[in-house]
Amino acid sequence: MQAILKKLTAGEGTSPAEWQALLECSQPAERQALYKAAYAVKLQTVGPTVYFRGIVELSNICSKDCYYCGIRRSNANVERYQMGEDEIVRDALWAHEHRYGSIVLQAGERQDAAFVDQIERILKRIKAESDGELGITLSLGEQSAEVYRAWFEAGAHRYLLRVETTNPDLYRQLHPATHDFDTRVACLDTLRDVGYQVGTGVMIGLPNQTTADLAQDIRFFRDHDIDMIGMGPYVLHSETPLAQRVDAINPVTQLELGLKMIAVTRLVLRDVNIAATTALQALHPTGREMGLQAGANIIMPNLTDTPYRKDYQLYEGKPCIDEDSTMCRGCLQKRVAGIGETIGLGQWGDSPHYLRRAGGRSLVEGTGADTGTGV
Ligand code: 5AD
Ligand code: FES
């Protein structure tokens, strides 16, 4: 294990089999060595600055039926909501006022024209009302190239679309037959072609998922030249078909695997942005801090208006359900300071990986926005 870590720290070539060996390390001392090496590479490549991406969960209406997700279409126990345009814009401007630099608009997947047009209007308003300063990431699922282009032109410049797993057989076990793995991968390529910074990720610790699968997921991120990674442990939601199929999952091993995956991804991909996702905190009270210490550099504070939060539970035990934006802001500031890191306020915080790819140039020029080169 030491030999593999040495090669990775020096930026030398390694194989998926070696990444898998790291993912399988089980002794506490080995895990600590892995996190320490990943943290050293994080400091070298992206530095000790954490960027905030305030997330607005603008609707839980979803046309999809993923077997693991609490807001899947067939879950009749969910009270469905759609935030109003004014509410969404107000939340975005709150983030701008508090110098978050960047936000994420996320929702269940919808492809109808009313929804597409509404997002376009919201993007234009946020851009105009923040003087082009607020960075906007979308996380709105699979769409046509035309829709991705319209939203890009309206002001979004990053897009998150988790591939969920890169093993097509496992993908089929987790989704109804109408959800197609190849379509999802094609969407990532389209997003790149349109000009977005592209983020993807997987769930970690899924039933029937092996460490070999996870090593291949990292290979996929590398081969698709991904700029941002958002991935987290799979967490049960009892009102889903997948929860009926599995026994209780062990939160300790699930958290460990999530952290090891962050660390190995940091060691292999080096200069990308990696989120310490909320699912880590569903498994342990300081799970997100642990994520930062294992190599992540992004946190997504929840901006969703409190009354809606209880209805956006993709998995059980999601934190921050009763809190509001101000409480999450204070809480996360303390958590980041608690591990000796600083928050990159007022900056987009693009990954050095992306800046290298784009020749150090922001795609949205002439806006006067900070492109986040200060990492
Ligand atoms: N556990 C963990 N993550 C989940 N997601 C959906 N359901 C769950 C779950 N039960 C993740 C998916 C999706 C993202 C928005 O939330 O990866 O892409
Ligand atoms: Fe929301 Fe801590 S981040 S309460």
Side-chain angles (χ1 to χ4, degrees):
M1 178 171 165
Q2 283 307 330
I4 305 173
L5 286 182
K6 210 167 148 205
K7 279 200 273 183
L8 282 163
T9 307
E12 288 169 19
T14 43
S15 66
E18 291 172 300
W19 312 339
Q20 186 183 341
L22 294 179
L23 291 168
E24 286 171 6
C25 77
S26 57
Q27 297 304 316
E30 291 177 328
R31 287 202 308 273
Q32 289 316 317
L34 172 63
Y35 302 151
K36 202 171 149 213
Y39 197 77
V41 167
K42 162 177 151 172
L43 290 186
Q44 250 178 51
T45 54
V46 297
T49 308
V50 181
Y51 293 101
F52 275 3
R53 315 280 189 237
I55 179 163
V56 185
E57 297 151 337
L58 58 92
S59 170
N60 65 358
I61 300 170
C62 194
S63 59
K64 290 244 166 141
D65 226 3
C66 309
Y67 295 150
Y68 45 83
C69 182
I71 64 165
R72 63 198 300 270
R73 184 184 59 204
S74 300
N75 187 356
N77 296 331
V78 176
E79 199 180 319
R80 302 288 164 173
Y81 72 87
Q82 160 75 53
M83 286 174 64
E85 280 177 41
D86 289 344
E87 286 179 305
I88 297 164
V89 174
R90 192 196 58 219
D91 288 349
L93 295 178
W94 184 93
H96 183 232
E97 208 176 292
H98 291 88
R99 308 192 59 231
Y100 277 17
S102 196
I103 56 158
V104 181
L105 301 179
Q106 187 177 83
E109 192 168 303
R110 270 178 67 185
Q111 293 165 336
D112 55 286
F115 180 74
V116 168
D117 293 348
Q118 186 193 42
I119 297 295
E120 193 173 338
R121 282 195 302 275
I122 291 167
L123 288 168
K124 288 182 177 158
R125 279 183 62 186
I126 296 174
K127 273 286 145 189
E129 294 180 38
S130 72
D131 289 327
E133 284 178 7
L134 193 61
I136 310 176
T137 304
L138 296 179
S139 178
L140 301 171
E142 295 169 27
Q143 304 288 344
S144 67
E146 291 67 41
V147 170
Y148 285 148
R149 204 168 296 120
W151 288 346
F152 184 75
E153 281 161 12
H157 61 115
R158 301 189 184 116
Y159 205 103
L160 287 176
L161 183 74
R162 288 193 184 179
V163 63
E164 313 298 0
T165 171
T166 59
N167 175 337
D169 287 333
L170 189 53
Y171 192 92
R172 269 189 290 277
Q173 294 171 35
L174 299 169
H175 301 96
T178 48
H179 299 24
D180 182 44
F181 174 75
D182 293 329
T183 307
R184 202 155 182 93
V185 174
C187 281
L188 290 173
D189 295 334
T190 306
L191 286 162
R192 162 63 45 80
D193 291 345
V194 170
Y196 286 95
Q197 289 179 51
V198 182
T200 193
V202 294
M203 283 178 289
I204 303 158
L206 288 160
N208 297 339
Q209 187 182 43
T210 63
T211 46
D213 289 329
L214 292 170
Q216 289 304 321
D217 292 340
I218 298 176
R219 195 209 284 310
F220 176 95
F221 303 154
R222 185 192 65 189
D223 293 351
H224 280 75
D225 209 11
I226 293 298
D227 302 304
M228 334 179 274
I229 312 287
M231 59 186 175
Y234 164 64
V235 182
L236 286 186
H237 190 298
S238 57
E239 288 160 0
T240 58
L242 195 57
Q244 317 301 320
R245 271 198 253 147
V246 296
D247 298 332
I249 51 167
N250 178 339
V252 175
T253 49
Q254 213 51 11
L255 174 71
E256 274 171 18
L257 193 56
L259 295 173
K260 287 192 278 189
M261 189 65 181
I262 289 176
V264 179
T265 303
R266 171 61 69 201
L267 285 164
V268 175
L269 300 186
R270 301 180 72 83
D271 60 358
V272 296
N273 280 341
I274 304 177
T277 54
T278 314
L280 293 169
Q281 200 178 313
L283 297 174
H284 190 282
T286 59
R288 281 197 269 188
E289 291 94 309
M290 291 177 184
L292 294 175
Q293 289 174 310
N297 67 325
I298 302 286
I299 292 250
M300 297 161 79
N302 198 327
L303 291 178
T304 310
D305 295 352
T306 311
Y308 298 120
R309 292 188 183 195
K310 65 173 186 351
D311 299 317
Y312 201 84
Q313 296 203 53
L314 313 183
Y315 48 82
E316 273 154 16
K318 190 173 169 217
C320 311
I321 298 292
D322 299 321
E323 282 75 9
D324 63 21
S325 302
T326 303
M327 291 158 92
C328 287
R329 174 168 167 262
C331 170
L332 290 173
Q333 271 170 340
K334 274 198 225 112
R335 287 170 186 268
V336 171
I339 58 162
E341 300 205 333
T342 49
I343 302 164
L345 292 174
Q347 300 171 43
W348 281 7
D350 290 329
S351 68
H353 181 86
Y354 165 73
L355 293 169
R356 230 171 358 99
R357 194 161 67 72
R361 191 173 43 84
S362 169
L363 278 171
V364 188
E365 284 174 315
T367 60
D370 185 332
T371 54
T373 44
V375 284

